[in-house]
Amino acid sequence: MTKVINYLSEAFEELKSNVTWPSWAEVQKLTIVVAVFSILFALATWGTDEFFAKALAGFFNWLKG
């Protein structure tokens, strides 16, 4: 248990002293960038899904034909 506590203590010390944290303005800007790309990726995935769903439905309707 002492090793775990020592590890956690050293990890927090590393975060406090050796990590360069971004400014608040940079965090806000990058959060907006991530949100926009997440929405664009979700829309692209939805569009691809809709395209293939309609293509497969049309194909199977053609087979029934």
Side-chain angles (χ1 to χ4, degrees):
M1 187 66 181
T2 305
K3 286 184 179 182
V4 172
I5 292 172
N6 189 32
Y7 172 78
L8 290 174
S9 174
E10 289 176 4
F12 279 116
E13 185 60 35
E14 182 82 16
L15 287 172
K16 286 190 327 190
S17 60
N18 295 335
V19 174
T20 304
W21 297 98
S23 67
W24 181 245
E26 188 177 9
V27 169
Q28 289 175 327
K29 182 177 72 171
L30 292 176
T31 300
I32 291 170
V33 169
V34 169
V36 168
F37 277 103
S38 295
I39 290 169
L40 291 175
F41 186 74
L43 288 172
T45 302
W46 172 78
T48 303
D49 181 55
E50 286 293 316
F51 171 77
F52 281 110
K54 288 182 181 181
L56 285 172
F59 176 72
F60 287 120
N61 284 333
W62 176 75
L63 284 178
K64 281 189 215 176

